[in-house]
Amino acid sequence: MDLDEVADRLYALPPPEFTAAREAEARAAKDAGDAGLSRDIAKLRKPTVSAWAVNRIAREHPEELAELLDVGERLRAAWQEQDADALAELTQRRGVVTGKLGRLIRQVAGLSPAAAAEVDQTLDAAVVDADAAAQVRQGHLVKPLSYSGFAPAPILRERPAARRKKTPEDQAAEAREREETEARKARERQEAEAAHREWREAVEAATEEYDECAERVATLERKLAKARKKLDDSRHRLEVAQREERRARQRLDQ
């Protein structure tokens, strides 16, 4: 047993099952006499829901994921070669494949809008960055990925004065691209709005819970203050009674 084997098993599990399984794996390694492996297992981090969803797709739908990563590899190569035609074609293909895979992940994992947005962010990173692609392919993600560098995009270059007349096929392709772009923007807008509503509701719930807890604490503090006052009064009465009892005993002894 090595760390990669254990990580493969752990990162295939839903997040709620991860911690208990990790502890069991760490104990098993320690019982087997491999203290170093046990420590390494204990350091494995629990994945977020969005990271687990991408890990799940890497295991259960490797062909669909491979299609996206292949588009990303070809897109990066086209950018290096400054191939404008290939970039234009692959950029369109990227939108189609990313959208299809994103829908598959949502269907399989049942994600919240916020987690779904993180999945889209991770897929975009895997397309434009080779290191991110390797992490996604491995299936050991613990958090969503992002890419802040310069993403490959179609190259604008001068065209000759005489332009080729667009064919019906060209026009249809452009129309499809516009529709896909508009649909993607609408979906992203809906997901952003849903995520905002979700977090706003979470803030409201947390605020209500905080207010209730604060009120309970204030009530307990008031009761504690009264109890301390009673304790002080009882202590005073006890001290008086003890003092008078001593005096009475002294008189009795005389």
Side-chain angles (χ1 to χ4, degrees):
M1 179 173 65
D2 60 26
L3 186 61
D4 284 339
E5 292 176 0
V6 175
D8 283 338
R9 290 195 292 270
L10 291 178
Y11 287 114
L13 298 173
E17 301 176 15
F18 182 88
T19 301
R22 179 187 61 193
E23 292 175 354
E25 293 279 7
R27 284 196 301 271
K30 187 175 182 180
D31 293 342
D34 197 335
L37 177 59
S38 177
R39 287 192 296 270
D40 290 339
I41 293 173
K43 293 177 183 178
L44 294 175
R45 295 170 54 193
K46 176 181 175 180
T48 65
V49 172
S50 60
W52 162 76
V54 176
N55 291 339
R56 181 174 178 180
I57 288 297
R59 288 170 173 78
E60 298 180 4
H61 298 274
E63 293 181 359
E64 289 83 351
L65 179 61
E67 182 181 10
L68 176 68
L69 299 182
D70 177 66
V71 169
E73 185 175 352
R74 292 163 57 196
L75 188 63
R76 294 191 299 273
W79 175 254
Q80 291 293 330
E81 297 170 3
Q82 298 289 285
D83 188 336
D85 292 335
L87 275 171
E89 177 187 351
L90 290 168
T91 297
Q92 182 178 357
R93 182 63 181 161
R94 167 190 177 182
V96 174
V97 176
T98 302
K100 182 174 68 174
L101 188 57
R103 288 190 295 272
L104 176 61
I105 294 177
R106 287 169 175 78
Q107 179 182 356
V108 169
L111 303 177
S112 69
E118 290 178 346
V119 165
D120 290 340
Q121 171 185 305
T122 300
L123 296 181
D124 285 339
V127 168
V128 300
D129 182 69
D131 289 339
Q135 293 179 57
V136 168
R137 183 181 287 107
Q138 185 183 31
H140 293 179
L141 294 181
V142 298
K143 63 180 181 179
L145 303 179
S146 62
Y147 183 76
S148 58
F150 188 79
I155 304 169
L156 297 178
R157 60 186 183 186
E158 295 183 0
R159 295 179 177 269
R163 296 184 179 179
R164 180 176 65 85
K165 184 178 180 180
K166 293 181 180 178
T167 65
E169 290 78 7
D170 293 334
Q171 295 174 350
E174 290 179 355
R176 286 195 301 271
E177 185 175 355
R178 286 194 299 270
E179 290 175 359
E180 291 170 356
T181 300
E182 292 173 359
R184 186 183 71 254
K185 290 181 178 179
R187 184 179 70 252
E188 291 174 351
R189 175 68 180 178
Q190 291 174 353
E191 291 174 350
E193 291 175 349
H196 178 257
R197 287 195 301 270
E198 181 179 330
W199 286 113
R200 183 181 61 196
E201 291 171 359
V203 168
E204 292 173 353
T207 300
E208 182 179 354
E209 180 183 3
Y210 174 83
D211 292 341
E212 291 177 356
C213 290
E215 179 60 30
R216 287 198 295 269
V217 169
T219 300
L220 291 172
E221 287 178 342
R222 289 193 294 268
K223 290 182 178 179
L224 179 60
K226 292 180 180 179
R228 290 187 185 280
K229 179 66 168 56
K230 289 182 180 180
L231 179 63
D232 290 341
D233 293 343
S234 297
R235 182 184 298 110
H236 176 69
R237 288 193 294 270
L238 175 62
E239 291 173 350
V240 171
Q242 289 174 336
R243 184 177 64 249
E244 294 302 324
E245 187 272 339
R246 286 194 300 270
R247 289 178 179 176
R249 186 172 63 249
Q250 290 172 356
R251 289 196 299 271
L252 181 63
D253 293 340
Q254 290 178 353

